[in-house]
Amino acid sequence: MNILIWHVHGSWTRAFVQGPHRYLLPALPDRGPDGLGRGRTFTWPASVTELSPMLLRDAPVDLVVLQRPHEAALAECWLGGRRPGRDLPAVYVEHNTPDGHVPLTRHPCADRDDLRGVTLVHVTHFNQLFWDSGTAPTTVVEHGVVDPGHLYTGELDRAAVVVNDPVPRGRATGTDLLPALSRAAPLDVFGLRTEGLAAYLGLSGDRLCRAELPQARLHAEMARRRLYLHPVRWTSLGLSLLEAMHLGMPVVGLATTEAVEAVPEGAGVLSTRPDVLARAARTYLREPGAAAEDGARARRAALERYGLGRFLDDWERLLAEVTR
């Protein structure tokens, strides 16, 4: 099939385009959010093709993958009036948890006449549970990760944290918990727009360092740290957590959202008590052998539940259903 999809979430899109289809990614000269095109930090398959809106107008498209509320109208405009869900099969992938008054938050797809016939695909069961999707048909296709390999060495007595925009996102990403946790284990924070984080939190450089690395280098650097710290209060399920598990890293994280399903017993420590997380981090720093053993269990669990093969198989079944 020819599948139109925007490059919105890099790691998820990289996994999705490993399938057997031709993937059409809108590309604009400014490489803005609506025209990012192919990923630049990893090699993507040759089946991923960049197309300008002008070329999309007459392009053969068999399926549209929507991921943001405005994309339905954008697709109809760029595809010469062909409407997703009416003229073309379509799915809407929801990557995020709801904001606002969470128990009552309505999904943008809920009861929309222009999206009748569009299946809403959640990336976690947590998402499906918390979004009010109205009468929209919903399903779950859990995450899959392109395996970076068992790279773990744990040679550095430090914890890796991966987060984008930690200052503006604040409590949602657990940024406020980092000062106390940094007293248990020095932190290396990887991610976009982390400049000034140590000063913002009042931490010295030896307790919190930050680095903005391309993904091609990120995994190897993460794997040198003794453990992966996941202090996130509110998210769907960070792909960086699953990537850390694939690397063979033990996890220390908040027992919130889908993390309680993703990290089984023996693969790390989850708790809603920051003092328990701090104690677990100190234990891993003292006992590198135990950290490696728990990391190996984390990798086995991640490969079993979040492996790329299972992810692509699930998507193939869903695509066959919605295009039948």
Side-chain angles (χ1 to χ4, degrees):
M1 291 189 292
N2 293 311
I3 298 176
L4 172 62
I5 179 171
W6 278 264
H7 180 183
V8 176
H9 295 276
S11 294
W12 184 91
T13 308
R14 181 179 176 231
F16 184 78
V17 300
Q18 304 299 316
H21 307 289
R22 181 174 178 240
Y23 303 92
L24 311 178
L25 270 64
L28 296 172
D30 65 357
R31 297 283 167 175
D34 288 334
L36 191 58
R38 291 170 58 95
R40 301 301 180 90
T41 58
F42 268 112
T43 301
W44 285 20
S47 55
V48 181
T49 303
E50 293 185 350
L51 288 179
S52 67
M54 182 183 302
L55 293 177
L56 278 171
R57 186 173 188 85
D58 298 314
V61 175
D62 301 302
L63 176 85
V64 181
V65 176
L66 306 170
Q67 300 169 80
R68 296 169 295 175
H70 72 280
E71 287 181 355
L74 194 60
E76 184 176 357
C77 175
W78 288 2
L79 292 172
R82 290 174 286 173
R83 179 187 296 177
R86 182 192 66 185
D87 306 307
L88 292 169
V91 296
Y92 187 111
V93 179
E94 181 51 70
H95 297 276
N96 302 314
T97 46
D99 292 324
H101 194 183
V102 171
L104 304 178
T105 306
R106 297 279 281 180
H107 193 274
C109 287
D111 305 325
R112 274 178 58 171
D113 290 337
D114 62 328
L115 292 181
R116 287 189 186 277
V118 176
T119 299
L120 175 57
V121 186
H122 292 287
V123 297
T124 65
H125 293 278
F126 186 87
N127 270 16
Q128 186 183 47
L129 176 67
F130 273 81
W131 277 109
D132 176 1
S133 301
T135 60
T138 67
T139 191
V140 176
V141 176
E142 292 192 307
H143 284 300
V145 172
V146 178
D147 183 14
H150 194 169
L151 304 181
Y152 180 73
T153 66
E155 63 199 78
L156 300 180
D157 295 338
R158 302 179 70 87
V161 183
V162 179
V163 61
N164 295 330
D165 303 297
V167 173
R169 295 171 70 191
R171 287 179 57 83
T173 56
T175 303
D176 60 301
L177 302 177
L178 295 181
L181 292 171
S182 73
R183 292 193 288 272
L187 307 179
D188 290 327
V189 180
F190 302 93
L192 301 176
R193 295 170 294 278
T194 56
E195 301 88 345
L197 177 61
Y200 173 77
L201 295 174
L203 296 176
S204 61
D206 62 327
R207 303 315 298 176
L208 188 149
C209 294
R210 47 84 51 183
E212 190 170 321
L213 299 176
Q215 270 200 313
R217 292 180 52 202
L218 174 62
H219 290 150
E221 285 301 317
M222 287 172 59
R224 297 179 64 210
R225 276 68 187 172
R226 185 68 50 80
L227 63 117
Y228 182 77
L229 178 65
H230 189 68
V232 180
R233 285 188 177 92
W234 189 246
T235 185
S236 177
L237 178 61
L239 276 170
S240 58
L241 168 64
L242 301 182
E243 291 168 349
M245 293 174 68
H246 274 75
L247 291 168
M249 302 185 72
V251 174
V252 173
L254 286 180
T256 54
T257 67
E258 190 81 358
V260 297
E261 293 281 340
V263 184
E265 185 176 356
V269 176
L270 296 182
S271 176
T272 55
R273 294 175 51 181
D275 61 311
V276 172
L277 303 187
R279 187 160 58 247
R282 284 192 292 266
T283 299
Y284 281 139
L285 292 192
R286 288 196 311 267
E287 302 178 17
E293 291 175 4
D294 286 3
R297 280 189 285 268
R299 174 170 167 79
R300 289 194 294 270
L303 287 171
E304 180 178 353
R305 182 163 182 174
Y306 300 104
L308 184 64
R310 189 239 82 224
F311 172 77
L312 294 176
D313 286 346
D314 287 355
W315 268 106
E316 282 304 293
R317 283 190 288 270
L318 178 59
L319 296 181
E321 179 181 331
V322 300
T323 57
R324 185 171 16 215

mmCIF file of all heavy atoms in Angstrom, residues 19 45 55 94 121 130 152 155 195 232 234:
data_model
loop_
_atom_site.group_PDB
_atom_site.id
_atom_site.type_symbol
_atom_site.label_atom_id
_atom_site.label_comp_id
_atom_site.label_asym_id
_atom_site.label_seq_id
_atom_site.Cartn_x
_atom_site.Cartn_y
_atom_site.Cartn_z
ATOM 1 N N GLY A 19 7.699 -1.483 8.064
ATOM 2 C CA GLY A 19 6.767 -2.441 7.480
ATOM 3 C C GLY A 19 6.965 -2.620 5.984
ATOM 4 O O GLY A 19 7.869 -2.030 5.374
ATOM 5 N N PRO A 45 14.303 3.254 5.868
ATOM 6 C CA PRO A 45 14.218 2.409 4.670
ATOM 7 C C PRO A 45 13.988 3.229 3.402
ATOM 8 O O PRO A 45 13.438 4.339 3.438
ATOM 9 C CB PRO A 45 13.010 1.505 4.960
ATOM 10 C CG PRO A 45 12.829 1.561 6.432
ATOM 11 C CD PRO A 45 13.288 2.904 6.874
ATOM 12 N N LEU A 55 2.876 17.456 -5.109
ATOM 13 C CA LEU A 55 2.948 16.100 -5.645
ATOM 14 C C LEU A 55 1.928 15.175 -4.983
ATOM 15 O O LEU A 55 1.475 14.206 -5.592
ATOM 16 C CB LEU A 55 4.360 15.541 -5.458
ATOM 17 C CG LEU A 55 5.457 16.220 -6.286
ATOM 18 C CD1 LEU A 55 6.819 15.628 -5.963
ATOM 19 C CD2 LEU A 55 5.162 16.091 -7.780
ATOM 20 N N GLU A 94 -3.270 7.956 18.472
ATOM 21 C CA GLU A 94 -3.152 8.844 19.623
ATOM 22 C C GLU A 94 -1.935 8.447 20.440
ATOM 23 O O GLU A 94 -1.886 7.378 21.045
ATOM 24 C CB GLU A 94 -4.411 8.789 20.489
ATOM 25 C CG GLU A 94 -4.368 9.711 21.694
ATOM 26 C CD GLU A 94 -3.987 11.140 21.305
ATOM 27 O OE1 GLU A 94 -4.812 11.811 20.648
ATOM 28 O OE2 GLU A 94 -2.861 11.576 21.652
ATOM 29 N N VAL A 121 -6.596 4.699 17.148
ATOM 30 C CA VAL A 121 -5.620 3.708 17.607
ATOM 31 C C VAL A 121 -4.801 4.303 18.740
ATOM 32 O O VAL A 121 -4.046 5.263 18.530
ATOM 33 C CB VAL A 121 -4.690 3.266 16.461
ATOM 34 C CG1 VAL A 121 -3.783 2.131 16.933
ATOM 35 C CG2 VAL A 121 -5.498 2.844 15.240
ATOM 36 N N PHE A 130 -8.121 6.326 29.590
ATOM 37 C CA PHE A 130 -8.314 7.678 30.110
ATOM 38 C C PHE A 130 -8.967 8.637 29.129
ATOM 39 O O PHE A 130 -9.553 9.631 29.548
ATOM 40 C CB PHE A 130 -6.972 8.233 30.608
ATOM 41 C CG PHE A 130 -6.680 7.852 32.027
ATOM 42 C CD1 PHE A 130 -6.169 6.602 32.323
ATOM 43 C CD2 PHE A 130 -6.957 8.718 33.071
ATOM 44 C CE1 PHE A 130 -5.917 6.223 33.633
ATOM 45 C CE2 PHE A 130 -6.713 8.362 34.382
ATOM 46 C CZ PHE A 130 -6.194 7.103 34.672
ATOM 47 N N TYR A 152 24.455 -2.410 27.033
ATOM 48 C CA TYR A 152 24.693 -1.988 28.411
ATOM 49 C C TYR A 152 26.083 -2.375 28.909
ATOM 50 O O TYR A 152 26.511 -3.524 28.778
ATOM 51 C CB TYR A 152 23.643 -2.619 29.312
ATOM 52 C CG TYR A 152 23.762 -2.259 30.782
ATOM 53 C CD1 TYR A 152 23.420 -0.986 31.221
ATOM 54 C CD2 TYR A 152 24.205 -3.191 31.715
ATOM 55 C CE1 TYR A 152 23.518 -0.656 32.567
ATOM 56 C CE2 TYR A 152 24.297 -2.875 33.057
ATOM 57 C CZ TYR A 152 23.954 -1.597 33.485
ATOM 58 O OH TYR A 152 24.047 -1.268 34.815
ATOM 59 N N GLU A 155 29.157 1.221 33.116
ATOM 60 C CA GLU A 155 30.480 1.542 33.648
ATOM 61 C C GLU A 155 30.519 2.842 34.438
ATOM 62 O O GLU A 155 31.422 3.037 35.268
ATOM 63 C CB GLU A 155 31.479 1.616 32.493
ATOM 64 C CG GLU A 155 31.168 2.738 31.499
ATOM 65 C CD GLU A 155 31.831 2.537 30.156
ATOM 66 O OE1 GLU A 155 31.329 1.728 29.371
ATOM 67 O OE2 GLU A 155 32.852 3.205 29.913
ATOM 68 N N GLU A 195 18.786 23.031 28.028
ATOM 69 C CA GLU A 195 19.741 24.066 28.436
ATOM 70 C C GLU A 195 19.269 24.760 29.715
ATOM 71 O O GLU A 195 18.096 25.061 29.884
ATOM 72 C CB GLU A 195 19.904 25.120 27.333
ATOM 73 C CG GLU A 195 20.388 24.575 25.997
ATOM 74 C CD GLU A 195 19.248 24.121 25.116
ATOM 75 O OE1 GLU A 195 18.119 23.947 25.619
ATOM 76 O OE2 GLU A 195 19.486 23.931 23.911
ATOM 77 N N VAL A 232 8.706 10.270 35.489
ATOM 78 C CA VAL A 232 7.597 10.935 34.801
ATOM 79 C C VAL A 232 6.275 10.638 35.507
ATOM 80 O O VAL A 232 5.923 9.479 35.737
ATOM 81 C CB VAL A 232 7.534 10.480 33.333
ATOM 82 C CG1 VAL A 232 6.390 11.173 32.619
ATOM 83 C CG2 VAL A 232 8.859 10.786 32.641
ATOM 84 N N TRP A 234 3.193 11.903 34.269
ATOM 85 C CA TRP A 234 2.022 11.862 33.385
ATOM 86 C C TRP A 234 2.472 11.812 31.927
ATOM 87 O O TRP A 234 2.923 12.800 31.368
ATOM 88 C CB TRP A 234 1.142 13.090 33.622
ATOM 89 C CG TRP A 234 -0.176 13.032 32.914
ATOM 90 C CD1 TRP A 234 -0.601 13.844 31.897
ATOM 91 C CD2 TRP A 234 -1.250 12.120 33.153
ATOM 92 N NE1 TRP A 234 -1.869 13.486 31.481
ATOM 93 C CE2 TRP A 234 -2.294 12.435 32.246
ATOM 94 C CE3 TRP A 234 -1.437 11.060 34.041
ATOM 95 C CZ2 TRP A 234 -3.504 11.727 32.211
ATOM 96 C CZ3 TRP A 234 -2.634 10.360 34.008
ATOM 97 C CH2 TRP A 234 -3.652 10.700 33.116
#
